[in-house]
Amino acid sequence: MAVATQSTPVEVKKPAASSTFVRVARYTVVRLFTLFVTVVIGIYLTILIANMGGHVDEIMRNDIRDRITQQFANNAAAQKLSPDTRKQLIERSITLEENRVGLNQPVAVRNFKFLTDALTLNLGRAINMTSDSGSKEVRLIILGRLPATLLLMGTSELFLFFVSVFLALSLSRSYGSWWDKLVITLSPTSAVPPWFYGIFFILIFAALLHVLPFGGMTDSPPPSNPVDFALNVLKHLILPAASLIISSFFLSIYNWRTFFLIYSSEDYVEMAKAKGLPARDIEQRYILRPTLPTIITNFALTLIGVISGAIITETVFLWPGLGRTLYQAIGLYDTPVIVGSTIIYAYLLAITVFLLDFVYALVDPRVKVGGN
Amino acid sequence: MNNLKNSFREVLRYPSAIVGLTIIFLLVVTAVYAMIKIPYSEAIRLWRGGEDVWYQNPKFAPPAWINFFSSKKLPESFTVNSANGSMTKTVVPGAQNSSTINISYFFDFNYDTYPQEMLIYFKAKYNSKQPFVSIAWLTPDGRKIRIDDLGISADQTLWFSQDQRLQQRLNGAEPMQALFEDPKTNAIAKGKYQLQITGTTFEPGSDIDAQFVFQGQVYGLAGTDQARRDLMVPLLWGAPVALAFGLIASLGTLVLTMIIAAIGTWYGGWVDGLIQRITEINLVLPFLSILIMIGTFYSRSIWVILGVTVILSIFTGSIKSYRAIFLQVKESMYIEAARAYGASDFRIIFQYLIPRMIPLLIPGLVSSVPAFVFLEASLAVLGLGDPVLPTWGKIINDADANGALYKGYYYWILEPAALLMITGFGFAMLGFALDRIFNPRLRDI
């Protein structure tokens, strides 16, 4: 996770001309509108790519024809029908199946329907995928996989965020120390993505030492006792969570540490030191306070990341989360599921970006909502 | 120029930069070596080749150097051929145009496991009368085992393990076991073995050549995969592919980002606004999902994926930070001067604005290479790698698909993984050092 610099306008307070209410209201409307348009265009592009200009339709049509012809070929009762009747039946089944999937409508109409459905969060039904309970509702598929992703990403991302901010603060206090140099030396380890560490962890802890499982979320069959079940899940959680953490750990600490160091070399911090203020006060009032907007931004983006899941890490560890579901959905040409997970992410991002502007104004007295 | 020299001298002050530079240098040497040693078309032929190319190799064989680290020595693979003189061949002319051909080969076998398979490929020259061969096996303890007697056609292959007559003669025992085992102790008999082929031809000008392929349990410097392919080919060729993908993606992204940011800031107004809006939309798009969709639905060619990667990577946060810097540069005196003497917009953007940013570009360029190298590997691991090119990610994908971690073929994953990791670390270490040199705010901390 990189430390994102603040991207919203930070303006120095000027004498207020119009009333605060009008300014905030106008800002809210304009900002919400631009964000909504952004989401609409983003989702529409995703839908376009998910259809590949009708290229995917061709694949799906052939797929359906293949499957239904195969079904009839394997059906003993169908063998007894006359060739003509059977052919008619096959053609009718293919048409029915194509209508069910929605292939009878032109691509543009379908894309538009996808868009309006997605924007109203009417996620509809999946084409091929089913949830664990057997439902084809996209909502249920996503909700069914959400807990696994929340558990994995929540554990690792929150741990990563808080531990790296705290360690970075203490490192920035003792910069140049042995630990500081160690973190700098180890920060290139983050060039390697989490799934890569995952493969190594599987090799060491599952294949060689046999102490932790290769993948999955529980043993099969899962233990029935709730305590055993929780412990079992925990055992399966260790490796994927560890690989997600290790791959960002040192770089994250390094980035935060550098960020805090830049702020602690400001003149007002030197001034506070010269005045003889205690170190803790300097840290809380003079370093943490002005960096708060950035910390909050990163925390908010971390939370969104928790929900979107990790496609490859989940695939490597066979973790039944949203990332792996998305990958499976793409493999099955399941546009509703792809669009469904994208729209949720897009909405969350837009809402977060919108709310952050207000949060900045709350934590930083120099920032005014909609001030120019 | 002097500036550049100073920067270079400064780079050498950082140990991590020296390590990084060394790694990158070695990678470039490997890449050049690979491209000279195995030309592109040859690499593709080898990588896509089946049994006809790789019949000499064992399957799933670890590299030969594994014997250094293990007390249990695994037999190494080799191939000898009477046509090139690596097997001794004598021709004794006989009566009525016939002749006797003796082909024999001695080899030391001091290993602790049986080989995977042994094969003999016969090549015979004749018009109408097929030559006849009998094959015998001499063990170190002096036993002589008859392998087979057969008439051979122009191209004939004998698989020891699949020879029904040999198995019957060995009372149903596995040929590989029976041939290398001492029947008294039931242990592997170590020592000098001999393969004896005695052939008879019945025509003038008729000839026999034999190739003996010994498929051991280890092979070469890199080992082999499920299709008997020597992993050295993809390991070597992975270097130029990874470097090309990483550098082109990184350079393309950065240069395009910079040009677009410069144009946006220079013209301002709606151009700038449009770029900002596109950046916001791109933030909503799921980057990896789109790449997976392109790979699944449309094309797996590495160049298509590269293009999409660059396009999606242009409009990200970095365009905003460049914009912020360009906004400052735009107000400088020398730009004012250029405008005063009537320089065109194009000239100002490309001759005045962008060159100012090049020092800032270098650390970012180096640091973003690993991300792109691993992106290619990630897609390959998901099964979306280029179907033609041999890459490191493809090896991991093959290994993963064949259950290498479960079955203990660790070399298969560790070799490409180590190379990927070294590449990533090399660029990351150099990038970090460059960042500290070119970014004055970081210089002292």
Side-chain angles (χ1 to χ4, degrees):
Chain A
M1 186 199 67
V3 178
T5 44
Q6 212 174 313
S7 57
T8 42
V10 180
E11 303 297 340
V12 178
K13 199 172 191 171
K14 285 179 196 158
S18 57
S19 84
T20 314
F21 177 75
V22 173
R23 176 168 48 79
V24 173
R26 184 192 291 147
Y27 177 77
T28 309
V29 171
V30 171
R31 189 75 181 137
L32 276 180
F33 178 73
T34 44
L35 281 173
F36 182 72
V37 172
T38 309
V39 170
V40 170
I41 298 175
I43 294 300
Y44 191 69
L45 283 177
T46 313
I47 293 170
L48 275 188
I49 296 167
N51 266 323
M52 280 298 161
H55 179 75
V56 172
D57 285 5
E58 218 37 55
I59 304 175
M60 272 165 63
R61 257 183 241 279
N62 291 336
D63 208 42
I64 289 171
R65 178 163 292 272
D66 220 50
R67 201 173 58 229
I68 287 179
T69 319
Q70 202 61 41
Q71 265 170 22
F72 273 85
N74 294 338
N75 188 341
Q79 299 298 330
K80 293 187 187 120
L81 299 170
S82 74
D84 276 349
T85 339
R86 197 165 66 215
K87 206 163 172 205
Q88 263 177 6
L89 261 178
I90 291 179
E91 288 304 323
R92 213 176 66 202
S93 304
I94 290 173
T95 322
L96 273 177
E97 178 70 6
E98 285 185 354
N99 290 355
R100 180 186 78 79
V101 173
L103 284 173
N104 53 339
Q105 289 167 322
V107 180
V109 174
R110 239 173 328 135
N111 283 352
F112 189 71
K113 198 173 162 306
F114 267 134
L115 182 67
T116 47
D117 280 356
L119 291 173
T120 51
L121 279 183
N122 174 13
L123 300 181
R125 292 166 70 79
I127 298 172
N128 293 315
M129 289 186 87
T130 49
S131 73
D132 294 336
S133 53
S135 166
K136 274 197 178 299
E137 291 279 330
V138 174
R139 193 171 49 87
L140 291 178
I141 294 176
I142 291 177
L143 281 180
R145 298 298 178 89
L146 194 59
T149 284
L150 284 184
L151 179 65
L152 173 62
M153 301 298 286
T155 318
S156 47
E157 293 288 305
L158 293 183
F159 176 89
L160 202 57
F161 180 81
F162 287 110
V163 171
S164 55
V165 168
F166 278 104
L167 286 183
L169 255 185
S170 68
L171 275 187
S172 73
R173 226 177 292 142
S174 63
Y175 108 83
S177 67
W178 188 83
W179 286 107
D180 192 31
K181 285 189 179 126
L182 183 75
V183 167
I184 296 177
T185 316
L186 287 179
S187 48
T189 52
S190 300
V192 176
W195 62 265
F196 205 78
Y197 285 106
I199 287 182
F200 278 94
F201 285 162
I202 293 177
L203 202 160
I204 297 168
F205 295 102
L208 285 177
L209 299 178
H210 300 288
V211 286
L212 290 168
F214 276 94
M217 199 171 150
T218 54
D219 283 342
S220 150
S224 48
N225 179 346
V227 178
D228 288 346
F229 183 82
L231 285 175
N232 197 259
V233 170
L234 204 64
K235 201 170 94 181
H236 285 76
L237 179 67
I238 296 175
L239 286 189
S243 39
L244 283 167
I245 291 171
I246 199 90
S247 107
S248 316
F249 193 61
F250 295 105
L251 185 66
S252 183
I253 297 180
Y254 172 82
N255 281 338
W256 281 115
R257 157 207 170 275
T258 314
F259 178 72
F260 287 135
L261 275 179
I262 288 172
Y263 272 84
S264 33
S265 57
E266 294 280 355
D267 290 343
Y268 55 80
V269 179
E270 299 295 332
M271 175 72 179
K273 275 185 199 155
K275 278 200 298 191
L277 285 183
R280 186 137 292 270
D281 281 4
I282 295 180
E283 200 162 273
Q284 282 176 0
R285 285 197 222 145
Y286 294 86
I287 301 176
L288 273 183
R289 194 68 201 275
T291 53
L292 207 52
T294 312
I295 297 178
I296 292 173
T297 312
N298 276 283
F299 185 67
L301 293 178
T302 303
L303 287 185
I304 300 177
V306 165
I307 292 158
S308 61
I311 295 184
I312 309 176
T313 312
E314 286 180 4
T315 308
V316 166
F317 282 100
L318 306 177
W319 189 264
L322 276 181
R324 186 152 159 257
T325 307
L326 185 57
Y327 175 58
Q328 287 169 335
I330 294 171
L332 293 167
Y333 314 114
D334 217 323
T335 318
V337 180
I338 302 171
V339 174
S341 64
T342 313
I343 183 76
I344 292 176
Y345 174 76
Y347 268 150
L348 282 173
L349 193 69
I351 293 169
T352 312
V353 168
F354 177 71
L355 289 182
L356 278 177
D357 286 345
F358 291 89
V359 175
Y360 292 149
L362 285 180
V363 297
D364 191 339
R366 293 170 301 179
V367 177
K368 268 188 356 180
V369 171
N372 46 347
Chain B
M1 199 61 225
N2 216 8
N3 214 342
L4 210 70
K5 215 188 243 171
N6 283 343
S7 307
F8 188 72
R9 200 168 300 142
E10 195 147 2
V11 167
L12 295 183
R13 273 180 41 216
Y14 291 87
S16 73
I18 297 174
V19 177
L21 269 177
T22 318
I23 292 174
I24 295 168
F25 176 73
L26 289 177
L27 274 172
V28 172
V29 170
T30 314
V32 171
Y33 172 77
M35 288 190 289
I36 293 171
K37 180 87 190 300
I38 316 167
Y40 179 76
S41 56
E42 176 69 4
I44 303 297
R45 189 185 72 83
L46 290 174
W47 178 242
R48 309 275 290 158
E51 288 279 317
D52 51 327
V53 182
W54 294 111
Y55 65 90
Q56 299 179 358
N57 294 356
K59 275 184 188 178
F60 304 117
W65 44 260
I66 212 158
N67 275 337
F68 279 117
F69 306 104
S70 154
S71 56
K72 199 169 142 192
K73 303 295 176 208
L74 302 172
E76 284 181 35
S77 314
F78 63 80
T79 304
V80 284
N81 198 335
S82 65
N84 63 18
S86 50
M87 269 171 122
T88 49
K89 173 178 167 184
T90 50
V91 183
V92 185
Q96 292 171 342
N97 292 331
S98 75
S99 59
T100 310
I101 295 172
N102 284 311
I103 298 172
S104 100
Y105 186 68
F106 286 97
F107 66 97
D108 286 314
F109 188 86
N110 294 315
Y111 303 104
D112 299 311
T113 56
Y114 306 105
Q116 277 187 6
E117 169 69 301
M118 293 190 289
L119 316 162
I120 302 178
Y121 286 85
F122 290 106
K123 284 227 182 297
K125 268 192 285 184
Y126 64 92
N127 284 326
S128 57
K129 289 181 192 155
Q130 279 193 350
F132 187 83
V133 292
S134 35
I135 304 143
W137 183 254
L138 275 78
T139 61
D141 47 329
R143 286 174 297 133
K144 182 168 183 176
I145 302 169
R146 227 174 87 216
I147 305 284
D148 209 343
D149 307 293
L150 68 164
I152 52 173
S153 50
D155 273 301
Q156 179 107 20
T157 313
L158 175 79
W159 282 272
F160 280 43
S161 294
Q162 288 167 28
D163 193 327
Q164 297 288 334
R165 278 173 295 189
L166 176 61
Q167 233 167 46
Q168 276 169 17
R169 219 169 283 140
L170 297 168
N171 301 322
E174 262 308 310
M176 284 309 118
Q177 249 171 47
L179 292 179
F180 287 95
E181 206 170 61
D182 189 334
K184 285 172 221 137
T185 58
N186 279 339
I188 291 180
K190 296 181 181 177
K192 218 174 200 50
Y193 283 83
Q194 190 191 0
L195 177 75
Q196 265 183 2
I197 303 170
T198 317
T200 318
T201 59
F202 306 102
E203 283 173 5
S206 177
D207 196 9
I208 305 171
D209 269 310
Q211 184 184 28
F212 175 52
V213 175
F214 180 88
Q215 294 177 349
Q217 301 286 2
V218 293
Y219 178 84
L221 282 173
T224 61
D225 64 4
Q226 87 282 10
R228 303 181 189 279
R229 291 178 294 200
D230 184 357
L231 286 180
M232 207 60 197
V233 175
L235 284 180
L236 277 177
W237 256 89
V241 175
L243 283 181
F245 190 89
L247 285 171
I248 294 175
S250 153
L251 196 68
T253 306
L254 277 164
V255 168
L256 287 175
T257 308
M258 187 168 282
I259 292 174
I260 291 172
I263 291 174
T265 24
W266 182 249
Y267 289 105
W270 68 268
V271 183
D272 196 28
L274 181 71
I275 292 171
Q276 302 261 55
R277 294 293 91 74
I278 295 177
T279 312
E280 276 171 18
I281 292 168
N282 195 29
L283 205 66
V284 174
L285 293 178
F287 176 69
L288 194 56
S289 307
I290 287 183
L291 281 184
I292 296 174
M293 282 194 254
I294 303 263
T296 315
F297 302 155
Y298 188 61
S299 163
R300 288 186 192 174
S301 154
I302 200 166
W303 304 113
V304 173
I305 298 284
L306 181 70
V308 177
T309 307
V310 170
I311 292 169
L312 289 176
S313 314
I314 291 174
F315 295 97
T316 52
S318 59
I319 212 165
K320 291 197 171 182
S321 44
Y322 284 140
R323 182 175 168 271
I325 301 168
F326 276 132
L327 278 176
Q328 280 179 6
V329 178
K330 193 181 162 187
E331 304 302 325
S332 354
M333 289 307 280
Y334 76 99
I335 300 280
E336 193 85 5
R339 228 193 295 209
Y341 82 68
S344 68
D345 289 339
F346 183 86
R347 186 178 167 82
I348 292 179
I349 290 172
F350 285 93
Q351 305 260 329
Y352 292 87
L353 275 179
I354 289 177
R356 263 296 280 272
M357 295 287 284
I358 287 176
L360 276 171
L361 178 103
I362 295 169
L365 177 73
V366 176
S367 312
S368 62
V369 170
F372 291 117
V373 170
F374 275 104
L375 179 70
E376 192 274 321
S378 304
L379 289 173
V381 167
L382 288 178
L384 301 172
D386 192 294
V388 180
L389 278 177
T391 67
W392 294 332
K394 288 284 282 186
I395 308 180
I396 299 183
N397 181 36
D398 280 347
D400 205 38
N402 285 286
L405 284 177
Y406 303 87
K407 293 181 190 154
Y409 309 133
Y410 302 133
Y411 69 97
W412 199 356
I413 288 203
L414 286 178
E415 287 169 1
L419 285 171
L420 273 168
M421 241 166 144
I422 291 170
T423 311
F425 287 159
F427 280 99
M429 283 161 108
L430 182 64
F432 263 84
L434 289 174
D435 203 23
R436 294 163 79 83
I437 293 163
F438 285 102
N439 200 340
R441 286 243 276 184
L442 293 175
R443 189 167 290 183
D444 299 321
I445 45 182

